[in-house]
Amino acid sequence: MSTAPEGYDPHAYTPFAVTVDLAVFTVRAGRLHVLLVERGEAPYKGRWALPGGFVLPRESAEEAARRELAEETGLTQRSVRAFHLEQLRTYSDPDRDPRMRVVSVAYAALVPDLPEPKGGGDAAHARWWETGGTGPLAFDHDRILTDAYGRVGARLEYTCLATAFCPPEFTLGELQRVYETVWGVELDRPNFRRKVLATPGFVQAVEGPPRRTGGRGKPAALYRAGAATALHPPLLRPEGRPEGRTTP
Amino acid sequence: MSTAPEGYDPHAYTPFAVTVDLAVFTVRAGRLHVLLVERGEAPYKGRWALPGGFVLPRESAEEAARRELAEETGLTQRSVRAFHLEQLRTYSDPDRDPRMRVVSVAYAALVPDLPEPKGGGDAAHARWWETGGTGPLAFDHDRILTDAYGRVGARLEYTCLATAFCPPEFTLGELQRVYETVWGVELDRPNFRRKVLATPGFVQAVEGPPRRTGGRGKPAALYRAGAATALHPPLLRPEGRPEGRTTP
DNA sequence: TTAATAGTGTCTGTAAGACAATATTAT
DNA sequence: ATAATATTGTCTTACAGACACTATTAA
């Protein structure tokens, strides 16, 4: 064959375009939402797609993803830095873009409830869509979105990532609603509370007696995300659907 | 900036080389081994590296990885098809290759104990190395190998992947040794047995009374990998938990 | 016999599931 | 008062960890 086994012959490679695609998730009004942009050009003109763009000559895919995240949400690079961004996998089917050979590194981002992306240039045609209500997306983005959704659900089981959907200070009820929304199940509140509080470093009680109401009920104590990143033992989602919906 | 938000301008992209790198693991003689190739050219001449190569114009990264796996192990594409191959993540640091911009999609492969890669061209400088005994590798391959090792260990907890290290028919003792080798711990045999057999679809008893000896001891019953792919509930590796005797 | 590996059974502690009961707010 | 949410506590079950004990082979 033409490939050298132990090295790369700089003269024997095929040039590819490399892009990043982002599945930006948020929980809003008890529903999982994803950020999509409307395509203004062929192919797939008028279809919705995951935000993304080319990796620039001197940046890594991670840096490109972070830059795109700031552009599409309309926020500054600085404020976007706190958001959880995680590489999903790379999509490289030769025909995934009809125009040229494009390899795309997909990322999932978990953000708290943000205002509708408004303002200037790039984010002009961006909006939040409820997952499940998205029509067929451009390119292979349905597949990417499905993979991303599955990954987020699985990550909630073994990590403390659910707090990434919450504002800096949150109640245990809000945290529980993250799980219920992403997994599409109902959880027992006392048991959820016990589990979260028994996991060292998952959440951290906010000092003083500040409390906040979620409507009309007893005000809830506030917590911050703790230092822990993994969940031992995991918080497994109830049996029945190991994968949740396969098509979001 | 210069990237279009909803599409890819075919004239505005930077060309990259795209490669695959493989972390091929096997369990041999109670030790975890990884397949490495010795570099014959600069840069990193004489250093060992993960096997890999360019993605060809009309193949996906997955196909390239499968092709490279066959080339490096010296086996046919056909026999390599049964091996577990899993995309890890993509490495895209702008300076990871001093010669040019190379984005590499890393894969982990789990294979049963294979003969030393011998024969012809590409695999001439390939051999199995015990993990931990590898010197500094070429490029960012130490990082990739570390990530791959971590991923494999984690996957054993939540999936039935351990059987991928075993021959088609195996004993529970062999399966247990896979866990002990990868995790670097000792497991209690009765408890391991109970867990594996209680998980539907993990292993499947081989019919008839065929048995095989692992040395001198009671011959063990043989099993095949079952149809299950996930492990519910997971088989968590022992924590670094404090000593605790239950009976004095 | 002893050594080594395979397999069975049992006790116990941990954590999750179910759910009753109480507390504090808005309407 | 009633509805709604927060919080505490209790009972039960599933399952993992520890470990004693038996079974079957080679040397």
Side-chain angles (χ1 to χ4, degrees):
Chain A
M1 296 245 108
S2 57
T3 62
E6 78 287 352
Y8 315 117
D9 176 358
H11 306 297
Y13 77 96
T14 318
F16 293 77
V18 177
T19 63
V20 292
D21 284 313
L22 274 70
V24 186
F25 291 107
T26 198
V27 172
R28 160 181 288 192
R31 299 283 187 171
L32 186 65
H33 289 69
V34 63
L35 186 64
L36 298 179
V37 295
E38 189 175 19
R39 286 185 53 78
E41 308 169 6
Y44 301 104
K45 178 167 181 173
R47 290 272 269 279
W48 291 80
L50 298 176
F54 289 109
V55 177
L56 300 181
R58 290 298 307 162
E59 70 182 357
S60 67
E62 170 101 15
E63 290 163 347
R66 188 74 66 179
R67 173 174 54 74
E68 291 288 342
L69 180 58
E71 290 178 10
E72 304 295 349
T73 58
L75 303 177
T76 64
Q77 294 255 12
R78 185 178 206 78
S79 55
V80 145
R81 195 181 279 174
F83 295 159
H84 176 79
L85 184 69
E86 165 177 333
Q87 189 182 122
L88 264 182
R89 52 158 295 176
T90 293
Y91 297 82
S92 60
D93 186 272
D95 300 312
R96 59 181 297 279
D97 189 311
R99 294 162 298 178
M100 57 189 301
R101 190 67 205 265
V102 178
V103 167
S104 182
V105 187
Y107 284 80
L110 311 189
V111 307
D113 194 0
L114 297 175
E116 201 66 32
K118 63 168 182 285
D122 287 353
H125 296 95
R127 58 162 278 206
W128 293 105
W129 283 80
E130 203 175 301
T131 56
T134 60
L137 303 182
F139 305 106
D140 53 358
H141 290 189
D142 280 311
R143 169 80 193 286
I144 298 177
L145 182 54
T146 299
D147 291 351
Y149 175 68
R151 172 77 140 267
V152 169
R155 296 283 281 169
L156 290 195
E157 295 191 307
Y158 308 114
T159 69
C160 300
L161 267 191
T163 56
F165 283 116
C166 297
E169 299 193 343
F170 52 88
T171 69
L172 294 188
E174 291 167 345
L175 187 64
Q176 180 177 345
R177 239 163 282 132
V178 168
Y179 280 91
E180 294 176 330
T181 299
V182 176
W183 287 348
V185 299
E186 288 211 342
L187 301 178
D188 180 86
R189 184 165 23 200
N191 292 340
F192 178 82
R193 176 186 196 77
R194 177 181 57 190
K195 172 65 179 174
V196 170
L197 294 181
T199 302
F202 192 172
V203 298
Q204 179 184 2
V206 170
E207 276 309 319
R211 297 166 165 255
R212 186 171 62 176
T213 172
R216 64 178 167 295
K218 179 177 177 177
L222 289 177
Y223 295 84
R224 284 205 184 87
T229 170
L231 223 48
H232 284 298
L235 204 167
L236 298 177
R237 74 186 101 181
E239 289 280 341
R241 289 172 292 289
E243 200 71 16
R245 295 182 306 236
T246 42
T247 49
Chain B
M1 246 305 338
S2 58
T3 61
E6 78 288 350
Y8 315 119
D9 177 357
H11 306 297
Y13 77 96
T14 318
F16 294 77
V18 176
T19 63
V20 292
D21 284 312
L22 273 70
V24 186
F25 290 108
T26 197
V27 171
R28 161 181 286 192
R31 299 284 187 169
L32 186 65
H33 288 70
V34 64
L35 186 66
L36 297 179
V37 295
E38 190 175 17
R39 286 186 53 79
E41 309 168 4
Y44 302 104
K45 178 169 180 171
R47 290 272 268 281
W48 292 81
L50 298 176
F54 289 109
V55 176
L56 299 181
R58 291 296 307 160
E59 71 183 358
S60 66
E62 170 102 16
E63 290 162 348
R66 189 74 67 178
R67 173 175 53 74
E68 291 288 342
L69 180 58
E71 290 177 10
E72 305 295 350
T73 58
L75 302 176
T76 64
Q77 294 254 15
R78 185 178 205 77
S79 55
V80 144
R81 198 180 279 176
F83 295 158
H84 177 79
L85 184 69
E86 165 178 332
Q87 190 183 123
L88 265 182
R89 52 158 296 174
T90 293
Y91 296 84
S92 60
D93 187 273
D95 300 311
R96 59 182 298 279
D97 188 312
R99 294 163 298 177
M100 58 190 299
R101 190 68 205 266
V102 178
V103 167
S104 183
V105 187
Y107 284 81
L110 311 190
V111 306
D113 194 1
L114 297 176
E116 201 66 34
K118 62 167 184 285
D122 287 354
H125 297 95
R127 58 162 279 207
W128 293 105
W129 284 80
E130 204 173 300
T131 56
T134 61
L137 304 182
F139 304 106
D140 53 358
H141 290 189
D142 279 312
R143 169 79 194 288
I144 297 178
L145 181 55
T146 299
D147 290 351
Y149 176 69
R151 173 78 140 264
V152 169
R155 295 285 279 170
L156 290 196
E157 295 190 306
Y158 308 114
T159 69
C160 300
L161 268 192
T163 57
F165 283 117
C166 297
E169 299 192 341
F170 53 87
T171 70
L172 293 187
E174 292 168 344
L175 187 64
Q176 181 177 343
R177 238 162 284 133
V178 168
Y179 281 92
E180 294 176 331
T181 300
V182 176
W183 287 348
V185 299
E186 289 210 344
L187 301 177
D188 179 85
R189 183 164 22 196
N191 292 340
F192 179 82
R193 175 186 196 78
R194 177 181 57 190
K195 172 67 179 174
V196 171
L197 295 180
T199 303
F202 192 172
V203 298
Q204 178 184 4
V206 169
E207 275 309 319
R211 296 166 165 255
R212 186 173 62 176
T213 171
R216 63 173 168 297
K218 179 176 177 176
L222 289 177
Y223 295 85
R224 284 205 185 88
T229 171
L231 222 49
H232 285 296
L235 205 167
L236 298 177
R237 76 185 99 182
E239 286 278 345
R241 64 197 179 294
E243 295 266 335
R245 286 217 184 92
T246 48
T247 48

